[in-house]
Amino acid sequence: MSMDNIGHMEKVSLRDRVSQALRAAIISGEMEPGVVYSAPSLGARFGVSATPVREAMLDLVRENLVSIVPNKGFRVTEVAERDLDDITRIRLLLEPPTVRDITPLIPAKDFPALRELADKIVAGAEQGDLVEYTSADQVFHLALLGYANNPRLNNLVSDLRDHTRLFGLKSLSDKGELTDVAREHHTILDALESRDADAVERIMVEHIRQARGRWAKPAE
């Protein structure tokens, strides 16, 4: 995947932008399972009319991320802890070896744009914007996997990430620790830019394993 492709990923319709924002809000735990959300209230939150929210929500219904509550709105689908464990195992099988393999393939001219993507993750963390953080994180990781030129792999990992729940992000943000987590993406790029495939794979494994701990629901 070239930087032109990454730029194209951000040039999307209003409906797609709302879908991305809703996915990020679900993944980050800002939209909680069991709570019913109406299209008008979500539209007000994201600064759009209710229509693109309804359209986006219907896309998410088809992806089993939310369910329809007749005459009320939409409810976020709950994900079991066992499912989160399974997602982690699959990601560990797919992502670290793939990013290791693409280490020598990333053109040197692409690293400044990849750094900009990592900077967006850090900015989201610094601002306490969990939706921006989660959305930027997804774009970054899929951009790396894109260098493998395997659309099926990208689609599979994207789907796995969409069905995660990062409930612990708010706690990390409140404690001021999320920025350190965000900077891990620059560490990944450091290893990639130095063409150290062993380090890349090791960092990716640790990154994903730590993420599973951050997915756990906070103690009630």
Side-chain angles (χ1 to χ4, degrees), residues 73-93:
F74 303 87
R75 179 182 289 117
V76 176
T77 302
E78 189 147 11
V79 179
E81 291 292 310
R82 170 63 185 273
D83 290 329
L84 294 178
D85 289 336
D86 290 346
I87 287 170
T88 300
R89 293 188 186 99
I90 298 171
R91 287 189 62 194
L92 285 169
L93 288 172

Side-chain angles (χ1 to χ4, degrees), residues 31-42:
M31 289 178 62
E32 301 176 15
V35 177
V36 176
Y37 296 90
S38 70
S41 66
L42 290 172

Side-chain angles (χ1 to χ4, degrees), residues 23 26-28 65 79 84 87 91 159-167 215:
R23 283 190 184 90
I26 291 170
I27 294 166
S28 69
L65 294 178
V79 179
L84 294 178
I87 287 170
R91 287 189 62 194
D159 182 69
L160 290 170
R161 293 175 63 91
D162 284 347
H163 286 83
T164 63
R165 298 292 183 269
L166 296 163
F167 292 106
W215 293 350

Side-chain angles (χ1 to χ4, degrees), residues 137-156:
D137 178 73
Q138 176 121 332
V139 171
F140 175 88
H141 283 280
L142 293 181
L144 292 184
L145 294 176
Y147 287 98
N149 196 28
N150 186 338
R152 289 180 183 272
L153 173 67
N154 267 53
N155 290 338
L156 177 56

